């Protein structure tokens, strides 16, 4: 039986070209849409074997396609999804890969190699994960977030420390006791790897780390 595909791509020429290529290799495009909302509706209507979607689509051309793909994966675990991107965007790849096996993240210029593209689609259909080599390289070399280990409350406390507030001021702002604030501060310093020393102010070092990690 032919593999039933939903294709989401706002570029008419690329969309029509993909429909033709997929048809040549035994895939049947049961619906081709131009935005993320139509994609979600089409999947509900047709229950496809595979979804192929651009990341950036109307109305804002930001991450509509990616968010739709992640939503579909959560609503339909195991649904094979391949997203296409014009550029390497590491955070998008991480979001998609985090939904489990049976996904693909490919750069659009790789689609020009039709045999490789078809091989990637079949890998995803079989439950594998395919990520463009350039995306993998970027992910491996992405700087680690030094604040990743902090809880939301600890980040909040650190932000207030960065404003120059004392523990008592932070306690008043967060409606907690000074003791609780002290424990949060201790956890923050420990998680940031700032042990007690005679020649450094750990609160200042924590603030510098916080400021350096902000986008």
């Amino acid at each position: 039986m032919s593999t039933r595909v939903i294709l989401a791509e706002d570029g008419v020429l690329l969309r029509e070209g993909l429909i033709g290529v997929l048809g040549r290799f035994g895939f049947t495009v049961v619906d081709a849409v131009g935005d993320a909302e139509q994609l979600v509706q089409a999947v509900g209507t047709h229950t496809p074997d595979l979804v192929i979607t651009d990341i950036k689509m109307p109305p804002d051309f930001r991450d509509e396609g990616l968010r739709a793909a992640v939503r579909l994966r959560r609503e339909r675990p195991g649904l094979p999804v391949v997203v296409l991107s014009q550029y390497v965007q590491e955070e998008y790849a991480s979001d998609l890969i985090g939904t489990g096996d049976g996904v693909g993240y490919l750069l659009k210029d790789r689609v020009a190699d039709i045999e490789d593209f078809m091989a990637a689609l079949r890998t995803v259909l079989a439950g594998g994960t395919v990520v463009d080599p350039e995306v993998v390289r970027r992910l491996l070399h992405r700087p680690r977030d030094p604040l990743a280990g902090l809880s939301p409350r600890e980040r909040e406390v650190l932000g207030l420390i960065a404003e120059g507030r004392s523990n008592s001021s932070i306690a008043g702002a967060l409606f907690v006791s000074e003791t609780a604030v002290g424990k949060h501060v201790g956890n923050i310093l420990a998680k940031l790897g700032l042990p007690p020393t005679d020649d450094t102010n750990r609160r200042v070092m924590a603030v510098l780390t916080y400021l350096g990690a902000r986008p």
Side-chain angles (χ1 to χ4, degrees):
M1 293 180 61
S2 174
T3 299
R4 303 170 71 255
V5 179
I6 297 289
L7 174 63
E9 165 61 52
D10 65 283
V12 177
L13 290 178
L14 179 55
R15 186 168 70 227
E16 293 302 315
L18 285 171
I19 292 172
V21 169
L22 291 166
R24 284 170 45 198
F25 286 83
F27 294 82
T28 299
V29 178
V30 296
D31 203 352
V33 300
D35 65 55
E37 189 58 37
Q38 290 177 335
L39 168 59
V40 173
Q41 293 173 0
V43 170
T45 300
H46 298 284
T47 315
D49 304 309
L50 172 67
V51 169
I52 302 173
T53 180
D54 190 4
I55 282 182
K56 295 185 177 183
M57 288 193 293
D60 297 323
F61 293 96
R62 297 181 65 184
D63 60 352
E64 291 85 353
L66 184 279
R67 286 189 283 111
V70 172
R71 172 184 167 185
L72 289 169
R73 288 278 297 178
R74 288 173 177 163
E75 293 176 351
R76 302 167 183 267
L79 172 66
V81 172
V82 173
V83 300
L84 306 176
S85 179
Q86 189 69 43
Y87 308 104
V88 177
Q89 294 161 308
E90 300 98 319
E91 68 277 15
Y92 293 164
S94 298
D95 289 344
L96 183 68
I97 295 169
T99 65
D101 296 329
V103 296
Y105 184 106
L106 303 175
L107 296 182
K108 285 186 175 180
D109 59 3
R110 310 285 188 187
V111 176
D113 190 325
I114 296 175
E115 294 292 342
D116 284 352
F117 181 48
M118 292 300 121
L121 296 185
R122 294 189 180 102
T123 297
V124 171
L125 278 166
T129 298
V130 178
V131 180
D132 190 279
E134 179 62 17
V135 177
V136 173
R137 188 186 71 79
R138 294 284 190 92
L139 288 172
L140 290 175
H141 291 86
R142 184 170 58 179
R144 187 184 71 85
D145 178 6
L147 307 181
L150 302 185
S151 70
R153 174 62 89 181
E154 288 164 353
R155 283 177 179 256
E156 190 175 14
V157 169
L158 182 53
L160 292 171
I161 293 174
E163 293 178 6
R165 295 187 181 230
S166 65
N167 282 11
S168 61
S169 175
I170 294 172
L174 299 181
F175 302 101
V176 298
S177 67
E178 282 193 54
T179 300
V181 172
K183 289 181 179 178
H184 286 311
V185 172
N187 289 337
I188 290 167
L189 298 176
K191 289 180 178 180
L192 294 182
L194 298 171
T197 64
D198 294 333
D199 56 355
T200 60
N201 185 313
R202 293 196 295 162
R203 285 176 80 101
V204 171
M205 296 300 295
V207 168
L208 292 174
T209 301
Y210 172 77
L211 295 175
R214 295 179 67 187

